[in-house]
Amino acid sequence: MKGTVSICCCLTLLLLQATAEEEDFTSTLRDRSHIDETLRLATEEKAGDYAAAIQNLRKIYHSSIKPMEQAYKYNELRQHEISAYPGRTLGDSATDGEITSKPMVLFLGPWSVGKSSMINYLLGLQDSPYQLYTGAEPTTSEFTVIMHGEKIRSVEGIVMAADSSRSFSPLEKFGQNFLEKLIGIEMPHKLLERVTFVDTPGIIENRKQQERGYPFNDVCQWFIDRADLIFVVFDPTKLDVGLELEMLFRQLKGRESQIRIILNKADNLVTQDLMRVYGALFWSLAPLINVTEPPRVYVSSFWPYDYAPDTSRELFKREEISLLEDLNQVIENRMENKIAFIRQHGIRVRIHALLVDRYVQTFKEKMSFFSDPELVFKEIVDDPDKFYIFKSILAKTNVSKFDLPNRDAYRDFFGINPITNFKPLSTQCSYIGGCLLDKIEKAITNELPGLLSGINSGKQPGLSSCEATGCGEKPKNRYRKN
């Protein structure tokens, strides 16, 4: 009996000692000086140059691209072309909030892999009232947007969606149930002056999407389409790929250049086990990422406390610095990326307008006094290749065939927008404003590339040539016969 009591006492002492050592280990905070240094948070930005570039970008968009969007209802086409344009989009129609928004970093992955802890670590929020709640169980049930503000405060989802100055107003379309699961946190922070973080609910494979009460995959797609950098986080205990995670990677198709895979909590394993887990992670993800060059994988432990003893501390530190450099690259290139995306958006709007114009011309050519308008247009929209709708655009405008929208999208588009609602491009001109096609082509070929080169050369973007010299001459309509 005494021997049994003695053994129990020894085990209790060992357990208490181990618990004390663990508490001492987790109470040791890691040095964060390399974060500020790598992200250059101490350096002041040239706010004037950035504001001037944003102002010029807004002016180009509103004067040269948006009028064409509205005239040919580009936003209606976007609702029907699900996979016509993989990759980042600017939404149905670019808004001032989207143009002026900061780069967005999106955190995705299974539950309790350390997404919220990683954000706490990057922002230094541990032990503060506004640190994101973390735990071993599924803790984040909301989409949490962490952004810059003059003071620390939380913002309800319905307020974020109602504020047109933000870039989140389109989220209203996902319903009130979702807005109750959307929350914003504003705080004064150097890093948040340059970037916005979005924490997402963890993927739980045994939960059906409808049990969330809102279209989870559609909401994820909205954030994916607008993210500049996407961190997909795993930990060594959650490498299995289920239906929800498989669906997530299908949504990431075309965004491989923005994806970074993070194997978190790596200091929980010895080196040999870590190598096996690394290989298992690639084995699980290989069928889902069908690209020649796989996304970059970072292996470390992203949380505020020190690495576990007897682990590859130097390797984890180098991996962490590499990830921070990756993040800093996105921040430094944000203006160039924004200009490039607006230009890409303008190219798509221009192609759409040219296609609608070609449908209008073909319809007018095929119509006669005794023709039935509905039957004539049905024949055109059902078989556009018969009338060389798309081929004529490729021949006349030197557009890549890979930039053309889906043909079926136009059947749905004209189903809700009668062909008679649209005017030919040749008539879309005014004495003061000029021709819509000329303006959007000028923006794509001259103004946006000029703005981009001004940013790259370090010069303050100047006024456009029209603003500098004046545009007193009468705009010419090259489509109208003299």
Side-chain angles (χ1 to χ4, degrees):
M1 185 70 178
K2 290 182 179 179
T4 304
V5 172
S6 178
I7 291 172
C8 289
C9 289
C10 288
L11 289 174
T12 303
L13 288 172
L14 288 172
L15 181 61
L16 290 172
Q17 183 180 359
T19 304
E21 289 176 355
E22 183 178 355
E23 289 178 353
D24 182 63
F25 157 66
T26 56
S27 64
T28 304
L29 293 177
R30 195 186 305 174
D31 178 32
R32 295 183 65 261
S33 60
H34 62 285
I35 296 179
D36 293 354
E37 182 180 346
T38 306
L39 296 177
R40 301 178 178 87
L41 299 183
T43 60
E44 293 294 331
E45 291 188 298
K46 296 181 179 179
D49 291 356
Y50 183 78
I54 285 289
Q55 186 64 26
N56 277 345
L57 185 59
R58 289 174 60 187
K59 189 164 190 174
I60 292 170
Y61 169 72
H62 282 287
S63 64
S64 302
I65 299 176
K66 191 170 184 177
M68 186 77 89
E69 282 181 14
Q70 295 173 334
Y72 290 93
K73 298 185 182 297
Y74 178 73
N75 61 321
E76 298 288 347
L77 175 71
R78 292 294 302 160
Q79 295 177 10
H80 300 292
E81 49 167 356
I82 304 302
S83 60
Y85 293 133
R88 177 169 180 174
T89 64
L90 289 169
D92 295 341
S93 176
T95 64
D96 283 348
E98 288 177 314
I99 292 174
T100 59
S101 63
K102 301 177 179 66
M104 181 188 293
V105 178
L106 181 64
F107 291 79
L108 300 169
W111 58 275
S112 193
V113 294
K115 301 186 295 294
S116 302
S117 296
M118 187 173 176
I119 296 174
N120 287 337
Y121 173 53
L122 291 174
L123 296 176
L125 298 181
Q126 64 279 357
D127 301 326
S128 73
Y130 278 83
Q131 69 174 340
L132 302 182
Y133 181 64
T134 62
E137 74 284 358
T139 54
T140 304
S141 60
E142 299 94 5
F143 282 79
T144 306
V145 181
I146 303 97
M147 49 196 167
H148 183 263
E150 296 301 322
K151 60 181 181 179
I152 297 179
R153 70 183 186 114
S154 60
V155 185
E156 296 295 328
I158 55 174
V159 177
M160 294 173 62
D163 188 351
S164 59
S165 65
R166 302 180 190 268
S167 59
F168 302 104
S169 53
L171 288 171
E172 273 190 312
K173 65 183 178 182
F174 297 118
Q176 294 301 309
N177 284 343
F178 166 68
L179 293 181
E180 292 176 0
K181 294 292 185 180
L182 174 67
I183 188 169
I185 298 176
E186 290 184 345
M187 62 182 69
H189 195 285
K190 278 287 187 180
L191 180 54
L192 295 178
E193 290 178 5
R194 308 179 186 187
V195 72
T196 296
F197 290 134
V198 179
D199 193 16
T200 62
I203 293 170
I204 303 177
E205 296 297 351
N206 60 357
R207 174 184 293 171
K208 295 180 181 178
Q209 177 176 268
Q210 54 265 29
E211 293 179 1
R212 295 184 186 267
Y214 60 90
F216 176 73
N217 288 334
D218 293 341
V219 174
C220 284
Q221 189 67 64
W222 189 91
F223 281 103
I224 287 170
D225 287 342
R226 287 154 180 80
D228 296 84
L229 196 59
I230 302 170
F231 290 142
V232 185
V233 188
F234 295 89
D235 77 5
T237 65
K238 298 182 181 67
L239 302 180
D240 295 336
V241 176
L243 292 177
E244 199 167 60
L245 189 60
E246 189 175 341
M247 172 62 75
L248 176 65
F249 272 92
R250 280 204 294 268
Q251 293 178 281
L252 291 169
K253 289 289 185 183
R255 301 300 308 277
E256 287 80 10
S257 62
Q258 278 86 35
I259 298 173
R260 304 293 184 269
I261 306 295
I262 296 176
L263 181 56
N264 201 14
K265 306 181 184 179
D267 60 343
N268 289 343
L269 301 173
V270 297
T271 304
Q272 187 175 9
D273 290 339
L274 181 60
M275 292 175 64
R276 291 172 180 164
V277 167
Y278 187 86
L281 177 62
F282 262 101
W283 178 266
S284 299
L285 298 182
L288 307 179
I289 307 176
N290 189 20
V291 292
T292 306
E293 184 177 349
R296 174 74 160 86
V297 179
Y298 294 100
V299 181
S300 188
S301 180
F302 297 94
W303 75 326
Y305 302 105
D306 202 4
Y307 300 112
D310 301 323
T311 54
S312 306
R313 302 171 64 91
E314 291 301 318
L315 170 65
F316 298 154
K317 182 71 171 291
R318 288 197 298 270
E319 287 283 278
E320 185 178 318
I321 291 175
S322 295
L323 180 140
L324 293 171
E325 289 172 346
D326 216 348
L327 175 59
N328 187 61
Q329 194 69 27
V330 169
I331 295 172
E332 289 189 346
N333 293 339
R334 67 192 184 281
M335 192 66 239
E336 292 91 329
N337 290 338
K338 207 174 287 290
I339 295 171
F341 287 132
I342 290 289
R343 183 176 182 274
Q344 184 184 48
H345 180 71
I347 290 172
R348 292 170 177 172
V349 172
R350 170 176 165 266
I351 291 173
H352 167 66
L354 290 168
L355 283 168
V356 173
D357 179 65
R358 184 59 187 165
Y359 274 104
V360 171
Q361 290 182 31
T362 305
F363 175 69
K364 290 188 174 182
E365 290 170 2
K366 298 300 176 185
M367 277 294 295
S368 66
F369 184 78
F370 299 101
S371 300
D372 184 334
E374 291 186 7
L375 292 178
V376 169
F377 190 67
K378 186 177 186 302
E379 182 184 7
I380 297 172
V381 80
D382 285 346
D383 190 7
D385 290 338
K386 177 181 177 181
F387 300 94
Y388 303 101
I389 300 289
F390 286 79
K391 288 184 179 178
S392 64
I393 299 301
L394 290 173
K396 288 186 177 181
T397 62
N398 196 25
V399 176
S400 169
K401 64 179 181 179
F402 301 107
D403 289 333
L404 293 177
N406 193 325
R407 288 159 170 75
D408 294 335
Y410 281 92
R411 185 183 294 109
D412 297 328
F413 173 77
F414 286 116
I416 59 174
N417 297 288
I419 188 68
T420 53
N421 287 359
F422 299 101
K423 299 178 182 178
L425 274 172
S426 59
T427 65
Q428 296 282 9
C429 295
S430 66
Y431 181 82
I432 298 176
C435 299
L436 294 187
L437 186 60
D438 289 343
K439 290 167 70 176
I440 198 169
E441 286 182 345
K442 181 181 178 183
I444 292 168
T445 58
N446 296 328
E447 294 176 342
L448 290 172
L451 188 60
L452 187 60
S453 63
I455 294 290
N456 291 332
S457 64
K459 299 176 182 177
Q460 181 168 347
L463 298 176
S464 66
S465 57
C466 188
E467 292 173 282
T469 61
C471 296
E473 70 276 7
K474 178 180 177 180
K476 295 180 181 179
N477 185 348
R478 57 176 174 162
Y479 293 96
R480 184 164 294 166
K481 294 180 181 179
N482 295 322

